Amino acid sequence: SPGGIALFRDAKNAKGERDLQWETCSDSAVRDIGFDPRARQYMLAETQPGHNISLAGSSKSLLQEYLDVMDTGTPILSREIEFHDSEAATELHGWFLQNVVKVGDQRILATWRNISRLKEMEQRLHSATTDALTQVGNRHALNEVDLSHFSGGFYVDLDRFKTINDTLGHATGDALLQEVVARMQRHLGKSGFIFRLGGDEFLSLIQHPEEMELLVEEGERLLTELQRPYWINSHEIRLDASMGVVD
């Protein structure tokens, strides 16, 4: 939608608690939020059944953030909110990008844009380029990488991994793969970008060092880290791996 707009004023709810009351809103606000706030005196109270609003990157409630704007005058800009209402005739769920500013002593103005389709596209793209088990990039993600940003890479193939799956079960094998990735991430830090190419094959692109001799030394340290014993589901597991290094 082109965007919704609503005006709130400071008020008290039926319990005497501080709340915000709708004064007026655009038709697009009614459509996007999913119910007509003019039919409900209070929109932001936490007690409405089925009504759930969460804020991306914040531990505060939506009501508290709005009241903070009312009290301090500091606006909210480009805040993502996720809306869910299971009590509606058709269960509603959506994402909105909103701005909130204070207008006058006792009123705030909120505007928002429905970005649900954009979020859905982002989620589909993430699913298409992310390995579901380890949450690192997959082969499709690797195809989108500009290799000029990296000085080299390590190709890692776990040896005899199939034996672990066959003897200890796939749940243990999956947990082991997750721990392998975690060790690679801890060892390489922010300079390494890891991709899962197949069942037990990984590639890590790194930004430094640039000299081949130093790359080999770093690869040997990574291999030593991966060969340390693992404790998975009460089993001690020792892995070996084959590694290729490229500049």
Side-chain angles (χ1 to χ4, degrees):
S1 71
I5 184 168
L7 186 68
F8 299 89
R9 69 174 176 85
D10 211 341
K12 300 283 187 180
N13 62 21
K15 297 181 179 180
E17 300 166 332
R18 192 180 182 197
D19 206 336
L20 289 172
Q21 183 178 356
W22 295 85
E23 285 204 337
T24 186
C25 63
S26 63
D27 290 340
S28 55
V30 176
R31 180 177 61 250
D32 284 347
I33 293 298
F35 64 86
D36 189 344
R38 292 165 293 195
R40 299 189 187 183
Q41 186 179 10
Y42 299 98
M43 175 281 234
L44 296 175
E46 302 291 329
T47 56
Q48 294 175 5
H51 189 67
N52 181 33
I53 295 177
S54 60
L55 297 162
S58 175
S59 59
K60 292 183 178 180
S61 67
L62 185 65
L63 172 60
Q64 187 57 57
E65 288 222 335
Y66 278 31
L67 292 176
D68 286 349
V69 174
M70 183 77 77
D71 293 339
T72 66
T74 303
I76 296 173
L77 302 176
S78 300
R79 164 70 79 190
E80 285 188 2
I81 62 172
E82 185 176 9
F83 176 83
H84 180 77
D85 194 342
S86 60
E87 294 295 306
T90 301
E91 185 168 320
L92 298 167
H93 180 265
W95 284 85
F96 307 94
L97 190 67
Q98 77 166 0
N99 301 289
V100 185
V101 296
K102 187 173 182 179
V103 288
D105 292 337
Q106 300 297 323
R107 288 172 175 80
I108 57 174
L109 186 71
T111 62
W112 58 86
R113 181 180 299 274
N114 192 332
I115 58 169
S116 299
R117 290 185 179 179
L118 176 61
K119 296 296 289 188
E120 290 170 2
M121 290 174 61
E122 288 179 349
Q123 290 167 358
R124 286 199 297 269
L125 180 61
H126 180 268
S127 297
T129 58
T130 303
D131 176 61
L133 177 66
T134 60
Q135 294 300 302
V136 296
N138 58 19
R139 285 181 178 272
H140 300 296
L142 183 60
N143 291 335
E144 303 300 321
V145 171
D146 182 355
L147 297 177
S148 65
H149 294 298
F150 300 93
S151 63
F154 304 131
Y155 170 81
V156 178
D157 185 5
L158 305 181
D159 296 341
R160 296 179 297 280
F161 180 75
K162 184 177 182 298
T163 302
I164 295 171
N165 273 337
D166 292 342
T167 57
L168 300 179
H170 286 277
T172 298
D174 288 348
L176 179 60
L177 291 174
Q178 291 171 331
E179 180 57 28
V180 166
V181 169
R183 285 194 185 184
M184 293 178 71
Q185 290 173 327
R186 287 195 297 267
H187 182 81
L188 297 173
K190 295 181 179 180
S191 66
F193 294 79
I194 303 167
F195 303 84
R196 185 184 180 195
L197 304 183
D200 59 356
E201 301 172 68
F202 300 91
L203 177 69
S204 177
L205 298 177
I206 61 172
Q207 296 175 317
H208 58 79
E210 297 183 0
E211 294 81 7
M212 186 62 176
E213 182 179 352
L214 296 178
L215 279 170
V216 171
E217 292 176 358
E218 180 62 33
E220 289 174 343
R221 287 191 288 270
L222 175 59
L223 194 58
T224 298
E225 176 68 16
L226 296 178
Q227 290 170 332
R228 290 193 301 106
Y230 299 80
W231 284 95
I232 306 291
N233 296 337
S234 301
H235 298 287
E236 180 182 358
I237 301 173
R238 294 181 180 271
L239 273 181
D240 208 347
S242 301
M243 178 179 287
V245 181
V246 62
D247 64 4

